[in-house]
Amino acid sequence: MIRFENVGMRYGNGPEVLRDVNFSLEPGSFHFLTGPSGAGKTSLLRLMYLSARPSRGLINLFGRDIATTPRQDLPALRRRIGVVFQEFRLLDHLSALDNVALPLRIAGVPESQIRTHVAELLSWVGLADYVQSRPATLSGGQQQRIAIARALISRPKLLLADEPTGNVDNAIAMRLLYLFEELNRMGTTVVIATHNEGLISRFDYPVLRLEDGELNMIGYGSTL
Amino acid sequence: MHMVRTFLFGRRYDVPLDQDSGSKVLPWIIALMVYLASLSLTATMTVSGLIGQWNADVAGTLTVQVPPAHNEGRERSIETDPRLKRIIAILQAQPAIQSATPLPQDQMDALMAPWLGTGDFSRELPMPWLIDVEIDRTQPLDLDNLGMQLDSTVPGVTIEDHQVWLKDLIVFARSIEVIALLILFLVTLAGVTVVVFSTRAGFDIHRNVVEALHMMGATDAYIAGQFQTHAFGVGLRGGLIGLGMALVTLLVATYFAAQINSTLMPSFSPSWLLYLCLAFMPLASAVITMYAARATVMRNLNALP
Ligand SMILES: Nc1ncnc2c1ncn2[C@@H]1O[C@H](COP(=O)(O)OP(=O)(O)O)[C@@H](O)[C@H]1O
Ligand SMILES: [Mg+2]
């Protein structure tokens, strides 16, 4: 599904924020990615969802070497990845429904199939009453759930979530994690970056830890 | 507005370009460009129409001018002037000359009326005779030789080849035409530049949205399509406004040209071809705006990973 070999990354001419990162994720796996703020979690996810290029090393995604993949093939790869951005990146001029529908429209799904799908998923994340609301009129937690619904709507092969429970209380956080588990059971590979160690310990999934730009597998959630 | 857009383009924009302050000004700038372009086009087509008209009018004609006899007065006539007969005979002997007809006195009077009035006074003045000569330009005609022959028959006879002064006039008209075309080109260039910069500004304003779309797997063509559709609308709106202003100007100009009603002024009556070309201006403006926006966005997108 995804393999990193000796990956290093720097912003501009700055220091390496990721150093010699090696790991591989099996299809259908579920991982937590943790580490202190500034450790490089977001940077690592950006490499995975092809929004940044490594400064060295090899990244293999869906069996393709990213460095040699032509640029025009990248959108199709990105469409197989669902991303929950740390800062949501919702489109403020669109309703919750249109935001969540966006990946389907980009993929060219017929309009007739979009509406019911989207409404269904929005009620799944507890936003049935906010289908026509603009993101700016909603709370941080509600916006986060729109962002999650948008990442899930196209049933991605790989789901990358950057602090997806950062703005919700524990009850909703658990509920969202059950949603990710549900998706994982249907075959999606899931990576969740979070510094909420309490949450991690309530699940029995492998945990990757980033510290000073180096990545280590540190065990399973419930044993930490 | 939203209904119309949905009707025209299937759905709303993912990139909210219509909310930019720039997109309220841009149609007016484009309108101004289209207005100037329309006037340049009008100038070009009118001048080239005039050149064609002049050419057709004088292409096959010469005027031979015979000075008045010393003693002629009130009772002069074509029939009684033997010199005229001799000149006409020489002219008609040339193979290249198809006809030679003296201008009748009443036509002479009409020609002179604006300067001399219509009174008997004009009859008192010694006037040259004018002979309209129709020639076939495909046959050789040595004008210098003919001129000398005529001059030795009746001293003071001159041949006026309209082609000569027309040539100068045409050079002048052509230079107006070239300048107008140059203005058309520069205005288009300026318009494209404005669109490129405003698209680049729009791209920067909406960089967040663009990047979000990009990371959701939107192709460059999809994202460019958003800008392009919007740009087409802006170009079309600007083009229609500009065309409207140009038509008003043309109507006013046509009205005043008709009021002047002078034989000295070339007639100004826009042709249907001009109107047809002008009718295409909004579409041309929309298409040019669209492609300028597309090219700009595609270039900027290329910088994304
Ligand atoms: N766009 C950027 N430009 C320059 N430096 C950045 C940028 N984004 C992150 N960094 C730096 O990279 C390091 C890792 O940041 P980040 O990946 O956001 O960590 P985390 O998500 O674990 O908090 C930090 O030192 C941060 O300052
Ligand atoms: Mg982060």
Side-chain angles (χ1 to χ4, degrees):
Chain A
M1 172 64 52
I2 193 162
R3 196 173 80 245
F4 274 49
E5 281 177 22
N6 300 320
V7 169
M9 181 198 175
R10 59 173 84 241
Y11 289 97
N13 293 322
E16 278 200 320
V17 297
L18 295 173
R19 276 190 300 278
D20 293 314
V21 172
N22 286 284
F23 71 93
S24 84
L25 306 179
E26 292 306 312
S29 61
F30 192 120
H31 286 81
F32 282 112
L33 175 63
T34 189
S37 180
K41 301 184 292 296
T42 298
S43 302
L44 184 60
L45 291 182
R46 287 187 64 194
L47 289 179
M48 291 200 248
Y49 61 72
L50 308 179
S51 125
R53 293 271 181 160
S55 39
R56 62 190 172 89
L58 180 138
I59 296 176
N60 189 295
L61 187 63
F62 302 121
R64 300 187 66 161
D65 176 3
I66 292 310
T68 60
T69 302
R71 191 171 179 278
Q72 69 263 28
D73 290 358
L74 297 180
L77 293 185
R78 289 192 182 100
R79 267 177 254 143
R80 297 161 73 179
I81 307 172
V83 185
V84 183
F85 302 101
Q86 189 167 7
E87 67 283 26
F88 316 147
R89 292 189 180 242
L90 297 174
L91 275 51
D92 279 331
H93 67 288
L94 297 182
S95 65
L97 185 117
D98 282 331
N99 263 286
V100 176
L102 214 45
L104 298 179
R105 290 187 168 132
I106 287 172
V109 174
E111 209 64 23
S112 56
Q113 295 176 26
I114 288 179
R115 226 194 136 78
T116 46
H117 263 75
V118 172
E120 210 171 283
L121 186 57
L122 275 173
S123 58
W124 232 100
V125 296
L127 293 175
D129 297 337
Y130 301 97
V131 165
Q132 292 303 336
S133 304
R134 298 285 174 102
T137 66
L138 300 175
S139 73
Q142 288 168 323
Q143 292 183 33
Q144 194 151 38
R145 281 179 278 158
I146 298 174
I148 290 169
R150 188 180 66 183
L152 301 187
I153 190 69
S154 52
R155 295 179 186 278
K157 293 271 165 288
L158 175 64
L159 180 84
L160 304 172
D162 199 352
E163 311 277 3
T165 58
N167 290 277
V168 294
D169 61 39
N170 267 332
I172 293 179
M174 286 302 287
R175 198 182 139 88
L176 291 175
L177 274 164
Y178 292 141
L179 187 61
F180 292 141
E181 273 195 305
E182 180 75 23
L183 195 73
N184 178 244
R185 264 196 287 279
M186 293 191 297
T188 297
T189 308
V190 177
V191 178
I192 295 172
T194 178
H195 58 249
N196 184 343
E197 310 211 325
L199 195 69
I200 292 173
S201 66
R202 299 171 79 159
F203 293 84
D204 201 22
Y205 293 118
V207 179
L208 299 164
R209 183 176 172 82
L210 260 177
E211 185 130 35
D212 292 332
E214 286 177 30
L215 185 75
N216 292 294
M217 160 76 187
I218 58 165
Y220 287 77
S222 56
T223 63
L224 292 175
Chain B
M1 187 62 204
H2 184 266
M3 291 273 295
V4 172
R5 199 189 307 136
T6 308
F7 173 73
L8 281 178
F9 305 116
R11 64 185 161 84
R12 78 283 163 279
Y13 298 116
D14 296 341
V15 185
L17 293 161
D18 49 341
Q19 292 165 15
D20 300 353
S21 58
S23 73
K24 294 188 181 63
V25 185
L26 192 57
W28 291 99
I29 297 177
I30 291 176
L32 188 67
M33 301 292 176
V34 170
Y35 176 67
L36 294 175
S38 300
L39 294 190
S40 310
L41 190 70
T42 304
T44 308
M45 290 184 69
T46 305
V47 166
S48 74
L50 275 180
I51 294 173
Q53 202 178 311
W54 289 334
N55 260 326
D57 282 354
V58 305
T61 62
L62 303 171
T63 302
V64 172
Q65 194 170 316
V66 182
H70 297 302
N71 57 349
E72 75 177 19
R74 200 173 250 297
E75 14 346 270
R76 82 171 193 169
S77 79
I78 294 166
E79 286 71 32
T80 57
D81 193 333
R83 304 171 313 140
L84 218 48
K85 287 216 168 79
R86 267 182 281 152
I87 294 292
I88 288 173
I90 292 172
L91 290 172
Q92 281 171 344
Q94 306 292 322
I97 289 178
Q98 289 168 332
S99 73
T101 326
L103 216 58
Q105 187 64 44
D106 51 343
Q107 276 191 35
M108 282 290 293
D109 292 346
L111 268 180
M112 290 299 145
W115 287 276
L116 303 177
T118 49
D120 279 347
F121 168 68
S122 66
R123 290 280 170 99
E124 306 296 334
L125 282 173
M127 286 289 171
W129 292 105
L130 296 181
I131 304 173
D132 251 343
V133 178
E134 276 182 41
I135 56 173
D136 177 0
R137 294 241 179 226
T138 60
Q139 296 209 42
L141 178 62
D142 186 344
L143 280 181
D144 290 340
N145 199 9
L146 181 63
M148 283 194 295
Q149 204 181 336
L150 294 179
D151 194 56
S152 63
T153 311
V154 176
V157 173
T158 55
I159 302 177
E160 229 180 277
D161 185 356
H162 304 295
Q163 210 74 33
V164 175
W165 62 260
L166 188 62
K167 231 173 252 167
D168 292 340
L169 202 57
I170 285 178
V171 167
F172 175 66
R174 286 260 181 253
S175 61
I176 289 181
E177 207 178 22
V178 167
I179 290 170
L181 277 177
L182 197 69
I183 291 175
L184 187 66
F185 173 75
L186 290 177
V187 163
T188 308
L189 198 70
V192 167
T193 309
V194 168
V195 171
V196 165
F197 276 95
S198 111
T199 305
R200 207 176 285 170
F203 191 92
D204 285 337
I205 292 170
H206 300 292
R207 183 168 279 277
N208 279 336
V209 175
V210 168
E211 283 179 359
L213 293 173
H214 179 72
M215 281 182 279
M216 278 182 248
T219 58
D220 290 356
Y222 179 95
I223 297 172
Q226 302 275 323
F227 285 85
Q228 199 174 309
T229 308
H230 178 257
F232 186 88
V234 170
L236 190 64
R237 235 178 308 150
L240 287 171
I241 299 169
L243 176 64
M245 299 195 304
L247 287 180
V248 169
T249 308
L250 269 186
L251 286 179
V252 171
T254 313
Y255 173 77
F256 280 111
Q259 295 291 299
I260 293 167
N261 192 20
S262 159
T263 47
L264 288 176
M265 283 278 292
S267 73
F268 176 72
S269 51
S271 65
W272 62 269
L273 186 63
L274 173 64
Y275 283 118
L276 191 69
C277 288
L278 290 181
F280 275 102
M281 292 296 268
L283 189 65
S285 148
V287 169
I288 291 172
T289 309
M290 180 176 89
Y291 276 104
R294 180 186 173 82
T296 309
V297 172
M298 288 303 251
R299 263 184 60 152
N300 278 271
L301 284 173
N302 233 347
L304 295 183

